[in-house]
Amino acid sequence: MKKLILTLAACTAASAALAQTESADSVKKGFEFTDVKVIPTTSVKDQNKSGTCWSFSGTSFLEDEVRRLGGDSLDLSEMYTVRYCYDDKADRYIRLYGECNFSQGGGLLDVGYVLKKYGMVPEDAYPGLNYGEEKHDHYEMATVMESMLKAVVKKPSKKISTAWRRALNGVLDAYMGEVPTEFTYKGKKYTPKTFAESLPVNPDDYVALTSFTHHPFYETFMLEVPDNWLYGQYMNVPLDELKAIADYAVENGFPINWAADVSEGGFKWNKGVALMPKGKTQGDMNGTELARWVKLSDRERANDKYNFDGPVEEEVITQESRQKGFDSQETTDDHGMEIVGYATDQNGKRYYKVKNSWDTNQVYDGFLYVSEPYFLAKTVSMLVHKDAIPKHIAKKIGLKK
């Protein structure tokens, strides 16, 4: 009898401990990320009210490449690149009779384009804030320029005058300030071109990549997104090889300039995570959950899968499902960021660590963790140094290192 009582007591204690553990697990929510590999990167910036993520991500990428290649840790001017892109986009807009995109947006190739054609300057030499604000706000300026250009292409005098470019640059000077022709950095005088030449970076060493089936693999094509105003060429590779390049790059210390769709409900900036949740089916639910489910509207059911507080099962992404998202324009070219490492969550799932340009007032101080399914589904394009591409893939795309 005593033995039975002791056994029952032990079982009761074990059950209580198990119940306590289960209770703790059920209360425990959220994500627990462990950084596995983090590439040295410069500080997080804030694009604020400007559609210039492409310049912030591209400039951060350039700064990190300079450091990786043995140069100084720099703070380069995002607005120097933006200024010249506005000017050149306007030229193209006029030459194409207004039948092209003129906006604040841009692409992954734009920073390298400006670096090669116009040079580069440090942030202190050209902050681009000349309109009474401490943070960037381009909406008024962009609206003024767009209205001006639309008036010019209408040719009210039956031809285009020689004054429009001076007028446009007058707007840019008024809002952003005049571009410096010479400046001093660490006691030495530079021009934008000589400063760019002093950096250990060759713009021709970088490869833009994407993965879509409406063009042949292992060939370049002009990526059909509105912000590709340069009509830049992107190398097309299968999805598994796009991921292989990303993984190889991060593992070997190469940052990635990343363009993606962030309009998905699974992109939770404030929570610092981006997922492609699978969502529940009727077969996954018990009676109480099912009773609630059937009362939801179609829209509420669609949104329900994005109400996650921790790791969830995610969609299986294929080349076909990815292409469908692009063709239907559910996957769009929304935002430029920089991949600077990878991490795992409490379940061992792998995520890319991503640096954003939306300030640091967020759970991970301006960084977020992007799941592999989200990367596979929502990557529009990426830019890497040619040495960040594995040799067997480099050979397929005809790349000579």
Side-chain angles (χ1 to χ4, degrees):
M1 183 69 174
K2 184 177 179 182
K3 184 176 180 181
L4 176 59
I5 291 172
L6 290 173
T7 302
L8 288 172
C11 289
T12 302
S15 298
L18 180 60
Q20 187 176 3
T21 301
E22 289 176 346
S23 177
D25 288 343
S26 65
V27 170
K28 187 177 181 181
K29 294 181 179 179
F31 293 86
E32 296 178 11
F33 293 112
T34 301
D35 290 341
V36 178
K37 175 81 175 185
V38 179
I39 298 162
T41 187
T42 53
S43 63
V44 173
K45 308 302 192 298
D46 184 11
Q47 69 185 77
N48 199 41
K49 298 177 182 178
S50 71
T52 58
C53 58
W54 53 273
S55 184
F56 279 84
S57 65
T59 303
S60 176
F61 175 74
L62 176 59
E63 291 169 349
D64 293 345
E65 278 292 278
V66 167
R67 179 187 284 190
R68 184 185 66 81
L69 291 166
D72 292 339
S73 180
L74 299 170
D75 184 5
L76 299 174
S77 171
E78 293 85 8
M79 291 302 117
Y80 181 84
T81 296
V82 170
R83 167 64 188 262
Y84 276 108
C85 286
Y86 275 139
D87 196 12
D88 285 4
K89 277 188 277 191
D91 181 81
R92 184 160 296 188
Y93 183 87
I94 297 298
R95 293 187 184 282
L96 293 177
Y97 301 81
E99 299 296 330
C100 66
N101 190 41
F102 179 84
S103 70
Q104 299 182 51
L108 297 183
L109 298 172
D110 293 6
V111 172
Y113 163 79
V114 170
L115 179 69
K116 186 174 182 178
K117 187 174 182 180
Y118 299 109
M120 186 56 63
V121 303
E123 174 71 15
D124 289 345
Y126 195 70
L129 286 164
N130 200 42
Y131 45 96
E133 300 290 341
E134 294 182 358
K135 291 188 174 185
H136 303 293
D137 185 344
H138 287 193
Y139 290 102
E140 181 179 298
M141 176 180 66
T143 301
V144 170
M145 289 191 293
E146 186 176 0
S147 299
M148 179 187 297
L149 294 173
K150 285 181 177 178
V152 172
V153 296
K154 287 180 179 178
K155 293 185 287 192
S157 299
K158 308 300 181 185
K159 65 177 182 178
I160 293 176
S161 76
T162 60
W164 76 266
R165 189 182 296 280
R166 291 195 303 274
L168 180 83
N169 276 281
V171 172
L172 288 168
D173 286 347
Y175 281 92
M176 302 186 75
E178 295 183 13
V179 177
T181 57
E182 190 177 76
F183 59 91
T184 300
Y185 179 72
K186 291 189 174 181
K188 184 177 179 180
K189 283 189 176 181
Y190 293 93
T191 67
K193 289 289 286 185
T194 59
F195 184 72
E197 290 165 2
S198 75
L199 304 178
V201 174
N202 179 0
D204 295 331
D205 285 342
Y206 294 85
V207 182
L209 299 144
T210 191
S211 179
F212 293 112
T213 58
H214 63 292
H215 290 282
F217 289 135
Y218 309 119
E219 294 181 13
T220 60
F221 73 94
M222 188 198 79
L223 185 60
E224 304 99 332
V225 294
D227 285 333
N228 185 16
W229 65 277
L230 283 174
Y231 305 150
Q233 297 291 308
Y234 288 71
M235 176 58 68
N236 199 29
V237 297
L239 186 56
D240 61 336
E241 294 187 359
L242 188 75
K243 182 178 181 301
I245 293 169
D247 292 343
Y248 181 87
V250 172
E251 288 281 3
N252 289 278
F254 293 89
I256 301 169
N257 196 3
W258 183 52
D261 178 357
V262 298
S263 65
E264 287 292 320
F267 188 92
K268 303 285 191 182
W269 169 241
N270 288 333
K271 292 184 177 181
V273 67
L275 306 179
M276 289 295 291
K278 181 180 179 183
K280 294 179 180 178
T281 65
Q282 291 191 15
D284 297 328
M285 290 177 277
N286 60 34
T288 304
E289 290 175 323
L290 185 58
R292 171 184 167 274
W293 178 262
V294 297
K295 292 179 181 179
L296 298 178
S297 67
D298 289 343
R299 183 176 181 178
E300 288 171 331
R301 290 180 186 179
N303 290 334
D304 187 68
K305 69 178 182 178
Y306 299 121
N307 293 326
F308 53 81
D309 293 316
V312 294
E313 185 179 1
E314 296 189 67
E315 293 181 16
V316 175
I317 307 302
T318 64
Q319 188 83 61
E320 292 72 26
S321 66
R322 169 184 166 79
Q323 185 69 38
K324 182 179 178 181
F326 188 72
D327 289 344
S328 66
Q329 296 184 1
E330 294 174 90
T331 296
T332 51
D333 184 33
D334 295 339
H335 194 42
M337 295 165 281
E338 185 189 13
I339 297 175
V340 294
Y342 76 93
T344 56
D345 68 13
Q346 59 264 48
N347 299 325
K349 282 179 59 178
R350 184 171 152 133
Y351 297 71
Y352 297 100
K353 185 169 187 175
V354 175
K355 179 182 178 183
N356 203 354
S357 54
W358 291 349
D359 210 346
T360 58
N361 52 350
Q362 170 257 18
V363 62
Y364 298 118
D365 300 321
F367 293 84
L368 73 152
Y369 294 92
V370 174
S371 73
E372 291 185 336
Y374 196 99
F375 171 87
L376 292 171
K378 296 300 173 177
T379 296
V380 176
S381 57
M382 64 186 202
L383 183 74
V384 296
H385 191 278
K386 63 182 183 179
D387 290 344
I389 301 176
K391 289 183 179 179
H392 70 283
I393 300 176
K395 185 176 181 180
K396 291 180 183 179
I397 64 177
L399 180 64
K400 294 181 180 179
K401 295 189 179 183

